[in-house]
Each structure stands twice: as structure tokens, then as C-alpha cells.
Amino acid sequence: MKVEDVKVCILIIEGTNCEAETSQAFRRSGASAEIVHLKQLLGQDTKPEETRKLEDYEILVIPGGFSSGDYVRAGAILAARMKSRMEDELVQFIDEGKPVLGICNGFQILVELGVLPGIESIMSRYPTASLGWNDSGRFECRPTLLENWNKGKCIFTTKLERGQIIQAPTAHAEGKFMLPKHREKELLDTLKDNDQIVFRYVDAEGQIAGYPWNPNGSLFGIAGICNSEGNVFGMMPHPERTYLGIQQADWTRNVPDNGDGKAVFESVLDHVTKKF
Amino acid sequence: MEEFSSEIRFVSLLDASDDDMVLLSDEGGLALDLAEMKRVQEYYRGKGREPTDVELQSIGQAWSEHCCYKSSKVFLKEYLLSIDTPSVILRGDAGVVDFDEDHAYALRIESHNHPSAVEPYGGAATGIGGIIRDVLCMGAQPVALIDPLHFGPLDFPHDKLPKGVKHPRYLFEGVVAGIRDYGNRIGIPTVSGSVHFHDGYLGNCIINVGCVGIAKKKNILKNAVKTDSDVFILVGGRTGRDGIHGVTYASVELTEDMEEEWMGGAVQLGDPITKEPLIHTCLEAAERGLLNGMKDLGGGGLSCVVGEMALAGGFGAEVNLEKVPLKEEGLQPWEMWISESQERMMLAVSPEKVDDVLHLFKLYDVLATPIGRVIKDRIVRVLYEGKKILELDLDFYTAGPEYCREYTHDTRYLEKPEAIPEEPEDYSKTILKLISSPNIASKAWVIHQYDHEVRGATVVKPLQGKMGYACHGDAAVIKPLEHTFRGLAVATATNPTFSELDPFRGGMSAVDEVCRNIAAVGGFPDSLTNCLNFGNPEKPDRLGLFRETVRGIGHVASHLGLPLPSGNVSFYNETEHGHVPPTPVVLGVGKVPDVRRCITSDLKEQDNPIFLIGDTKNEMGGSEYLRVFGGHSGTVPNVNVGMLKKSLHAVFRAVNEQTIASCHDISHGGIAIAISEMALGGDVGAFIDLSKTERVPTSVKMFSESNTRWLAEVWRGKEDRFLDIVSDVPVRKLGMVKGSSVIIADSNVKAGIFLEDLSEAWKRTIYDYMGGTP
């Protein structure tokens, strides 16, 4: 299909706050992005012309923010609302190979939903990983460098070389990727074997490094992972905030033609236009 | 005509004696003085009836210093409000200024000092909430937050803390957390600000919050009703007991025993997750053309918003108070009427559009309730369960008093002999000490806690430079619209140590600094807004400081043709231990023709020449150097407005013609600190030679904070073009980008510091006090 026919659902509820720039990123790449409130998908308080169906979209995106305030545990409430009201539609969407992207709070929601890491099933009954409090105990907004560690499974990074380093800022308090302690090694090995690790935090020399290059203390420096099929992807840093060259932290030193984050959006649109 | 409710309490005023009236004002928390009470008495004698308690409370709100600017207006009119340019579109809760053919930007800054001193987390958070609503109610999307903060010294000994005063570290931690948790949640980037520490803020921290927004011109709204059939729809949060008497408390001095009362109600509670959808639902309603007017509920709550919107449209209003959604049962009608509960906006809507508005708000889960309507008579009438509880003539109600209070101007500081410390033996050590002073040291501890990137439009960020080395910049730049590379440069400045010595020059310097910050990144100053934080205006010396400050700001702003379409005055920032130093916080917005030509403060390339723009003078009064090393000078940096104007044009052009690689304004700590920060951000050294500059002592050359100066790193090969552009302002080549240390030479002396040592001294200070790793 043509890129302009690719319909992207940018899902919001109260507290979502990165929807404008995320839909802008898809529009800049030529797709048709629409900001959709969860209630429009559920048909609550909507007029017929406002009601939307998930199946009518090719890509689902859960953007960053603080859905419902994140007062419980980041992402927990939106995930619970989705799971209780639209689990079947979501599983169907993923099963059809349609891409799902979660950025920052969106990543937290995908983990809470159990669709990431998504090792054994499309959606696990309980979360099997967690994005915990940053080691610093504080919200951290800072530019970070990410190495593409994926060998080709993730459909969101096909436009990046393996080992390529990109810049994207983080802005979160709960972004430390963790696996259950008693299965940590086993699950991490599985993620590696399945090619589910996508981005890792690195320093200016491209080496895995500690704080502040790794802003939260994530296991194995993990900044983003995909499910075992590669079509569901979550990352803590914000690629929509480095879509343009002039959004990068150090652009006045060396001006890139494009921002590094653009590749994420171009990769998934390339995949969708070829596959559907 | 409705009868007054039989349940309402009438207050005996008609025959009250002077003493009775003073007592009445005190007990009711009205904060009205005797003369004001007498005016109220006269009004009711004319009406031939006693006032209701709701009416007296309403008048107390409307006539408070906070709401009607009764002590400041006379000076604001004379010096600031008189500056007008065609670019100003509207002066409302926020000022609205032309951006491009179809768009305008909105700006405002205000204080949240008293609440933050009592409850720093909630006080600061609701400060953000309030300033966002001021911009929102003009129909503008907020795009940037700016937070200048002022506290007592972080190392103040606990055992010397006056009773009832909270430690500066506690306040700093709480305020930053409040701004972080509210600002980050509503998704508006905090891009600029400042943190200043000074003994004078021990009892009263000064917490100012600024906001800039962008609007389509067709969506700009007045804070007014439009027709005599408009319906008032209250949207957002519920109304509770939080925030009762906020404005009247802000209009008196803070005392120790007031704290308990504040905690019981005067500080509002913030709820960003009600606010976030409120913002975009209001904006969508404006975009769909559903609104006639909008205004935020801030100080005084419903009692202020209803009257002001109605009067601004030339009508009156009738409100059915029982319709107001409440947080809890049992509120008295007067409490509902004056509560300052957060996250509320008032919409004026044509009757035929009410259903569409209610549907839109319902879809986004934001509460919306019609609570009243416009009436033709210029009266505010409040009904509770069908019975009248308040009826006031708007012209009386909203015509708050205006005073020309007595003021004095104390110039005794000039008589104090100059006491300049001897020249340092080791200038390197002096620079290291200065750069680690809390007022100069890295504010990364604060900056990293704020999301300064959300909305994806922050092109020039608060920390600038090589990744892992970024240092303070001068201004942030926002690219607010998708279709254009035009930008908004945002900066803030205040210099209380200048202002406490010489308030006139302090006011001038704040404008000078904010303008040079904007020019340094490639913007041209376009408008200003200010928050003026002072002590008790009923004391003539405090008011004298205020008047001189306003005169200083007005002097520079009028010469530059810079309008101040909005602003805020915060008086009564004092306790029995004293008043804050005069703290005029100026927020400036500049236009950037093309954000791709913006530059930052970090040095870029070895061997590029470094120039000084402007003259360094022996003006050490109020400098950080004297503050840290002791001494006194009454000579505060002056401003030559003609030179400032020429210099701003020159720097703006030189940046936009891309002759400059990096630029930094010279402020706290002088040239020595400016070059050090540039080197830190670029992770590259510099050599500069000051021996050919003015004939003043080396310490003056290095550390003077004279205004209208910049350091500019010029691209090799573009020197001639640069010198051409800046030919009518003083400019001198000082040295070049070189090596891995900062070297500053004068005739017989030299300072040389390795970048690692400089970095260590600069970045640790605040973390050492507040915890965490730089």
C-alpha cells in the first residue's frame, strides 16, 4: 500500500502528552496519523461519527506521557483499561502482524499489558518484565545515545545498521528495565537468542556505560525491546524528539540532515507499505 | 426580583464604628483597611441594607492587592503600561503579541511565593497550574515554562533558622519537585529559569513561574463575555475548601502563626491529570469556534472571574451557585464563591453551542457545568437554591481602590565607603571558587528533573554543548509551529544584589540581561513580561524600591520599544525578620527568523578567534565576586540604552549572518566565568588576553558584571565580515579557542585552569547539597 494510505492510531487518555509530536513524526514521513481517545475505540460517550475501530488502522502507537497520572505504577491504569475492554481486538491486531509502538509511557503500558517482552504468547496474563524506578530516584531528562543491537527482527529499526548509534532523549522516572530476579539470566538469554533486544544505552565512545549515559540503571543497558515476532516494540527514549536534525542535543556543533529518530518511523512505514 | 435567602447571614455594617469595622475585616479575613471598609459602608448606606457575608467576602477578594494592584497601578501606568507597539494584540490574563501573519504568541509570569514558603511542593505545582491557565484562556497552546527561583543560602545553619521558617534546602527540593511533577505531567516543557541564593530570601522564598504560548489569531479569545445571552460554563476540577483566602493572605505579611491556617485551606491542591485534558479540550473548543470568551479561575475564584468577564463584555451576570460541582459536602455558599480550587476555567458560550461544548468535554472526561448566564444589567447576582445571596453593582464591585501611597528613596548605600578586596594572589583559585558558588555553579540537578523536550519543539536547550559536557546557555529557543522555521527565544533575568543597592540600575540591568541573552542565541527581543517581588508597600521605603525598579525597567524597555503586555506584582514578601531584596524578574521573548541559524554558548573549534563585545567598567557593586570574597561598592552596572540598542542589532545580525560559532552573555562572575562556561560546554580550552582592554585592575577585567557585553567565538575566515557588522559597537579580539585549559592573561598575571578542574568545581556544588551524582 501507499504510505499516505497507512493509517496510524495514536492512542491517548488523560495524561498522555506526547501525542502531537508523535503524530507529527508519522505525518512528516507521509502517513496518515490520527489522535484517538481510548473512549473512541470503546464507543463510550461518542457520537457515531466519533467512534473508531482498531482494526481500521495499520499501526497502533501509544505515545509518551503520564497516562492517568502514573500515580499507581507507570502505565498500569491504561494497560488495565485496555486489557479489560479491548483485549481481543488488541491480540487480533498483533496476531495479524500489524505494528504496535510504545514510546516511554507507551513502553511501560506495553510491558504492563504483557505484550512485551511477549516471549511465550502474544499477551501474557501477567507482566513478565518491569520498568522500575530510575537508580537515581529522580525523573531524568537528558540526551542519550542508543546502539542498535537488533539483528533484523524488529521492524522498527530496519533502516539502521546493526551497531549504529543514534541519539534520542529520555524523560522518565520509571525506565529501569528489569526481569524477575529468579529468572533474570534465563529470560535475558532468551531475549538475546530471540533477537528481541533492540536498543542499548552507550556512551560517546559507543561503549556500554553507567550513569548518566545509562540514565536509569537498566539491566544490560536495555533501552528498547521488541516481541518475539518483531512487530511490537517499546523504547524509553523518544525518537519523535529527534526526528529533525535541529532537535538533536548537539546540532549546533554538527548539523545532521535528518534527526536520528526518523529511522524508527521510516522503518515501520517501509515495512507496512511492503507487507500490506 | 428574587428575595434574599432567609438562611443567609447579614452582617451589621451600617451602624458599625471604626473599631467594629477593623474587627470585621480581621475576623472575616477580608484584608481591607479602615478607609476601604468605610467605602463599603457608604455603599450599603446608599442601598439602605446590610451586606451579606458572601458580599463582604467578594469585595475583600476583588479589592485585594493581589486582584486590583491598588498600590502598584499608579507606577505601572506611568512607566510600563505606557509602552505600546502595534505588535501587541491583546492585554488580558496573558499578553498576546504578533508572531506571523496567522499566529500570535502569549506570555505571562507571576509569583507563587507565599504558598511555596508554607508548602513548597503544592505551592510551586499550583503556580505552574495557574500560569498555564493564564496563557490557555487567551486561546493559546502553552509551549514553554520558565521558572526563576530564589531561596536562602543552602548552607544556612539549622540552629539559626528563625522559628516557623523552613530550611532553604527543604524549600528548594520541594519547589523543584512540585514544578517537576506538575509540569512534566501536563506535557509543557520547562525550558528556562534561574536559581538564586541570598540571605534575604530566608523567610520568603521567591517562586516565579512564567509561560509562553502560541495561538492561531482566529482563535484568540478575550477574557470576556460577548453577548447578553452568553451562558457561563464552569469546566475542569471540582470546587473545594482548598485555596480559600489565598489572595487576601497573599496581600499581607506572612507570620508564624498564619502557617496553620494556610495548611488548613489557603494553599490549593494541584491535579495535573485534570489539567492535561482540560488544556486540549479548551483549545479544541476554541478551534471549533464554540467559545465566546474564556478566563481562568485563579485568585478570588468564581467571585472574581464572573464579575470581570461580565464587566469586560459590558454586561452583568447571574449565577446559580448550587450548580457548582463540589469536592466535598457542606461548603458554605461564600466558600464556593471565593474558593481558589485549581484546574478550573470559565467559558462564555452562546446558548445554541452549549450542547456541543458539553459533549466535547464529556468525551474527554472533563467536567463541564453551566452555572449561570449573562444579564443586561451591570450587576452580579448570586442565587443559592433559588434564593438571592449576593447582589452587587459591578461598577462598585470591580472598581477597587487605587492608591498613590507614600514612598521614600533611600540612597544611603552610596555613602558607605567602597571596600574592594586586594587583588587575589592566585587568580586560578579565585575563578575556581567563584565558579563553584551556588549562584554560578551548574544547575543540572534542577534542569534534568524537568522535561524540557516534551512537545519536541525545544531547538536550543537549557544545557548546551558536546554530549556529556553541556553547560548553561543564555536562552532557549522553541520552534512552535510545524510549517515554519521561525522561532521564539525565551530568557529570564533578575539581579537582586544589584537591585538591593540601586533599584533603578537593578531594574535596567534585568532588561539589559534578558535582551542580551536573547540576542546571544540569534533572536531579537520582541516583548517582555515581569514579576515584581517586593516587601510591604504600605512601608514607604519598600514602595520607594518598587518605584525605582519600575522606573528602571521602563527606562530601558521604552528606549528599546519593548512592550510589557502582561505582568504581575507580588508585595508583602516579608516577615518580622525583614523583607526580600527587590526582585524584579524579567521574562523576555525574542523572535528568531530561522531557528536553523541559532547558536549556542559552547566553544566549537580550535583556533577560532574570540572577541569581546562591549566595554568592561569598574562597576563592582552587587557583583558575585564581592559577594563571595567580601567588600562593598555602591557602583552597580549602569545601562547605556543607546549602546544597548546598537549592540543588540549588531549581535543579532552577526549571529544570523552565521559569522559567530558560539556566543555567551557576560553576567554573574564576569568575563572569567563566561569564558569558562563556554570552554566547559565545548570541552575545549581557550586563551584570552585582557591586557589590551580598559585600564582597570585585573579583578575588574575578569569579574566585573558590566552590562551590554558578550563573548563571541567567530568562525575563522569570517572575521572581516563579523567586524564589519559590529563596527559601531566596542569590540576587541581577546584570544582564541585553544588546548585543554582556560588561560586568562593580563599584563603581569595569568590564570590557567585545566578543564577537568574547572568542570569538577562547576558541576558538584548543588549536587553536594541536594544529593545525587552529577
Side-chain angles (χ1 to χ4, degrees), chain A residues 15 21 39 141 247 252-253, chain B residues 276 365 448 455-456 600 602:
Chain A
E21 55 272 39
K39 288 170 77 181
C141 176
Q247 289 174 305
T252 60
R253 304 183 66 79
Chain B
E276 188 279 330
D365 286 332
H448 287 310
R455 299 188 57 74
T600 49
D602 45 306

Side-chain angles (χ1 to χ4, degrees), chain A residues 15-17 21 24 28 39 45-46 50 66 69 138-139 141-142 167 171 241 247 251-253, chain B residues 184-185 187 273 276 359 362-363 365 448-451 453 455-456 459 461 482 595 600 602-604:
Chain A
T16 308
N17 64 30
E21 55 272 39
Q24 197 61 261
R28 284 171 182 156
K39 288 170 77 181
D45 299 326
T46 49
E50 291 165 342
F66 290 78
R138 276 193 290 268
F139 187 94
C141 176
R142 50 172 82 244
Q167 195 192 110
R241 298 186 189 180
Q247 289 174 305
W251 71 270
T252 60
R253 304 183 66 79
Chain B
N184 293 355
R185 277 196 170 85
I273 299 309
E276 188 279 330
H359 173 74
K362 180 155 189 161
L363 176 62
D365 286 332
H448 287 310
Q449 294 195 59
Y450 299 156
D451 192 340
E453 304 256 22
R455 299 188 57 74
V459 172
K461 303 172 205 296
E482 177 68 7
V595 296
T600 49
D602 45 306
L603 293 179
K604 299 295 186 304

Side-chain angles (χ1 to χ4, degrees), chain B residues 352-531:
Chain B
E352 72 276 11
K353 291 178 178 165
V354 168
D355 285 346
D356 286 344
V357 170
L358 296 182
H359 173 74
L360 182 66
F361 279 80
K362 180 155 189 161
L363 176 62
Y364 288 115
D365 286 332
V366 181
L367 209 55
T369 319
I371 63 151
R373 62 188 178 90
V374 172
I375 56 176
K376 282 189 180 132
D377 300 331
R378 289 154 72 93
I379 290 174
V380 168
R381 187 181 301 131
V382 180
L383 307 174
Y384 187 70
E385 291 172 349
K387 293 283 172 62
K388 191 161 66 174
I389 59 170
L390 172 148
E391 185 171 275
L392 281 167
D393 294 302
L394 266 175
D395 293 316
F396 166 75
Y397 178 34
T398 54
E402 205 177 303
Y403 298 123
C404 187
R405 295 188 195 274
E406 188 193 341
Y407 61 86
T408 56
H409 180 39
D410 188 352
T411 53
R412 265 173 304 175
Y413 64 89
L414 289 172
E415 295 156 20
K416 198 171 155 191
E418 300 256 325
I420 305 294
E422 280 184 29
E423 286 296 304
E425 278 176 24
D426 182 339
Y427 287 91
S428 304
K429 277 191 186 156
T430 306
I431 292 169
L432 285 171
K433 176 136 194 221
L434 210 48
I435 206 166
S436 66
S437 136
N439 285 336
I440 291 176
S442 168
K443 304 300 181 300
W445 181 83
V446 182
I447 296 168
H448 287 310
Q449 294 195 59
Y450 299 156
D451 192 340
H452 44 265
E453 304 256 22
V454 61
R455 299 188 57 74
T458 314
V459 172
V460 174
K461 303 172 205 296
L463 289 170
Q464 306 174 357
K466 193 168 152 184
M467 272 188 78
Y469 297 92
C471 196
H472 296 155
D474 290 320
V477 177
I478 300 285
K479 177 184 173 301
L481 299 168
E482 177 68 7
H483 71 271
T484 170
F485 282 101
R486 273 174 184 245
L488 292 170
V490 180
T492 175
T494 178
N495 214 321
T497 51
F498 290 4
S499 291
E500 67 185 340
L501 289 174
D502 188 333
F504 178 69
R505 288 189 176 184
M508 290 202 298
S509 297
V511 180
D512 188 293
E513 184 176 344
V514 90
C515 289
R516 55 184 203 261
N517 281 336
I518 288 169
V521 296
F524 199 79
D526 195 60
S527 69
L528 305 174
T529 180
N530 61 4
C531 186

Side-chain angles (χ1 to χ4, degrees), chain B residues 184-420:
Chain B
N184 293 355
R185 277 196 170 85
I186 56 171
I188 310 301
T190 300
V191 300
S192 180
S194 61
V195 189
H196 204 100
F197 304 98
H198 185 292
D199 289 332
Y201 299 119
L202 194 62
N204 280 276
C205 57
I206 296 292
I207 306 305
N208 290 178
V209 285
C211 184
V212 176
I214 191 90
K216 286 184 191 165
K217 282 183 182 168
K218 73 171 181 65
N219 291 349
I220 293 171
L221 291 169
K222 287 190 176 163
N223 312 130
V225 302
K226 201 181 244 169
T227 73
D228 62 9
S229 60
D230 280 9
V231 175
F232 286 107
I233 303 183
L234 179 62
V235 297
R238 290 170 179 272
T239 301
R241 283 213 173 86
D242 52 317
I244 293 203
H245 282 154
V247 300
T248 42
Y249 276 47
S251 303
V252 290
E253 290 179 29
L254 207 51
T255 57
E256 191 191 311
D257 54 348
M258 268 166 71
E259 177 155 330
E260 225 167 276
E261 297 178 51
W262 273 85
M263 295 306 278
V267 181
Q268 311 95 323
L269 308 168
D271 176 12
I273 299 309
T274 299
K275 176 62 75 39
E276 188 279 330
L278 178 66
I279 296 172
H280 64 77
T281 316
C282 286
L283 289 172
E284 191 166 334
E287 171 70 25
R288 291 191 194 176
L290 298 175
L291 307 181
N292 288 344
M294 176 155 59
K295 190 168 169 69
D296 85 295
L297 278 83
L302 284 166
S303 77
C304 285
V305 78
V306 171
E308 287 173 17
M309 279 181 89
L311 189 71
F315 302 107
E318 186 173 284
V319 171
N320 299 94
L321 208 51
E322 75 281 356
K323 293 195 173 156
V324 173
L326 301 178
K327 288 184 181 175
E328 55 187 318
E329 282 183 25
L331 259 72
Q332 296 295 311
W334 71 266
E335 291 178 309
M336 299 175 199
W337 186 234
I338 67 165
S339 163
E340 296 173 13
S341 287
Q342 290 285 295
E343 330 306 357
R344 299 179 302 163
M345 303 282 285
M346 185 66 85
L347 313 179
V349 179
S350 297
E352 72 276 11
K353 291 178 178 165
V354 168
D355 285 346
D356 286 344
V357 170
L358 296 182
H359 173 74
L360 182 66
F361 279 80
K362 180 155 189 161
L363 176 62
Y364 288 115
D365 286 332
V366 181
L367 209 55
T369 319
I371 63 151
R373 62 188 178 90
V374 172
I375 56 176
K376 282 189 180 132
D377 300 331
R378 289 154 72 93
I379 290 174
V380 168
R381 187 181 301 131
V382 180
L383 307 174
Y384 187 70
E385 291 172 349
K387 293 283 172 62
K388 191 161 66 174
I389 59 170
L390 172 148
E391 185 171 275
L392 281 167
D393 294 302
L394 266 175
D395 293 316
F396 166 75
Y397 178 34
T398 54
E402 205 177 303
Y403 298 123
C404 187
R405 295 188 195 274
E406 188 193 341
Y407 61 86
T408 56
H409 180 39
D410 188 352
T411 53
R412 265 173 304 175
Y413 64 89
L414 289 172
E415 295 156 20
K416 198 171 155 191
E418 300 256 325
I420 305 294

